[in-house]
Amino acid sequence: GFISQGLASNAKSIIGVDISQRMVDIYNNDAKEQNLFPNERKAVRVDRLVENEIQLEGMSFDVIVCASSYHHFPSIVDVTKVLVSYLKSGGSLLVVDMVKGEYPVLQTYHQVAHKGGFDAEDMRMAFEAAGLHNFSFAEAATIEFAGHPVTMFLASGER
C-alpha cells in the first residue's frame, strides 16, 4: 500500500501480491475508494510465490518491489528466482528488508517466522543466482518496531 502510493505517479498500473486475503481486500478497497480501476491498481492473493501462479500467469513487470517480506521466506534464492521470472528484460528488482542483526522481538512476533535480516553478501548471492546484474545494497533507514530500532536496507538488481 505505502510503496504503491509512492510509485503511483510513475506507473501505468500496479499489482500488489500478498498471501493474506485480508490484506488483498484492504488494498483493493483502498484503490476503489480512490476511484482507481483494477487495470490501474489491484491486489491478488497467491498461496505461495511460484512461477506461473494462476493470477500472475503470463504477466511481466518493469519493476518488482518486495518490501519487508524476505525475512519470512525459507529460501531467498528460490524466491528471487521466481520474482525474476516475472521481470521484463532490463527490469529491476527492489528488495527492502532488515539488515542482519539481533532482533529478538521479531523472532516470535505474531508467531511468524523471522530470519533476523540479511547482509549485502546474502542478497548479492541470491540476486546473482537469479541472474540479476548491477547489484547494489545500501542501508536505507532505521525504523522502530515494537519499541526496538531495526535497520532497513534497499537491495536492487537488473535483469
Side-chain angles (χ1 to χ4, degrees), residues 25-41:
D25 292 343
I26 289 170
Y27 188 97
N28 288 333
N29 189 54
D30 287 348
K32 184 177 179 181
E33 287 178 0
Q34 295 173 38
N35 295 317
L36 297 169
F37 294 102
N39 64 330
E40 295 173 295
R41 194 173 320 161

Side-chain angles (χ1 to χ4, degrees), residues 16 20 74 101 110 120 122 137 141-142:
S20 164
H110 290 296
D122 295 330
F137 181 98
T142 299

Side-chain angles (χ1 to χ4, degrees), residues 5-131:
Q5 291 170 9
L7 295 174
S9 64
N10 296 308
K12 190 168 36 174
S13 66
I14 296 175
I15 299 176
V17 176
D18 205 299
I19 62 169
S20 164
Q21 186 61 52
R22 179 176 171 268
M23 296 308 294
V24 166
D25 292 343
I26 289 170
Y27 188 97
N28 288 333
N29 189 54
D30 287 348
K32 184 177 179 181
E33 287 178 0
Q34 295 173 38
N35 295 317
L36 297 169
F37 294 102
N39 64 330
E40 295 173 295
R41 194 173 320 161
K42 71 176 178 180
V44 295
R45 183 183 172 280
V46 297
D47 288 322
R48 54 196 169 99
L49 198 52
V50 296
E51 286 186 69
N52 298 319
E53 174 70 37
I54 193 71
Q55 296 94 334
L56 301 175
E57 191 171 353
M59 292 184 174
S60 60
F61 302 92
D62 296 310
V63 177
I64 295 176
V65 179
C66 188
S68 300
S69 299
Y70 261 49
H71 61 269
H72 295 297
F73 298 127
S75 168
I76 64 170
V77 171
D78 291 345
V79 77
T80 304
K81 287 178 180 178
V82 170
L83 292 173
V84 168
S85 76
Y86 290 104
L87 270 180
K88 293 178 182 176
S89 180
S92 297
L93 173 63
L94 307 173
V95 174
V96 177
D97 216 303
M98 302 178 296
V99 172
K100 189 177 280 184
E102 293 297 317
Y103 305 120
V105 68
L106 299 175
Q107 299 304 319
T108 57
Y109 187 74
H110 290 296
Q111 283 68 44
V112 176
H114 288 267
K115 290 203 182 309
F118 307 96
D119 61 25
E121 286 311 305
D122 295 330
M123 296 308 297
R124 178 185 308 278
M125 178 199 66
F127 277 45
E128 288 178 356

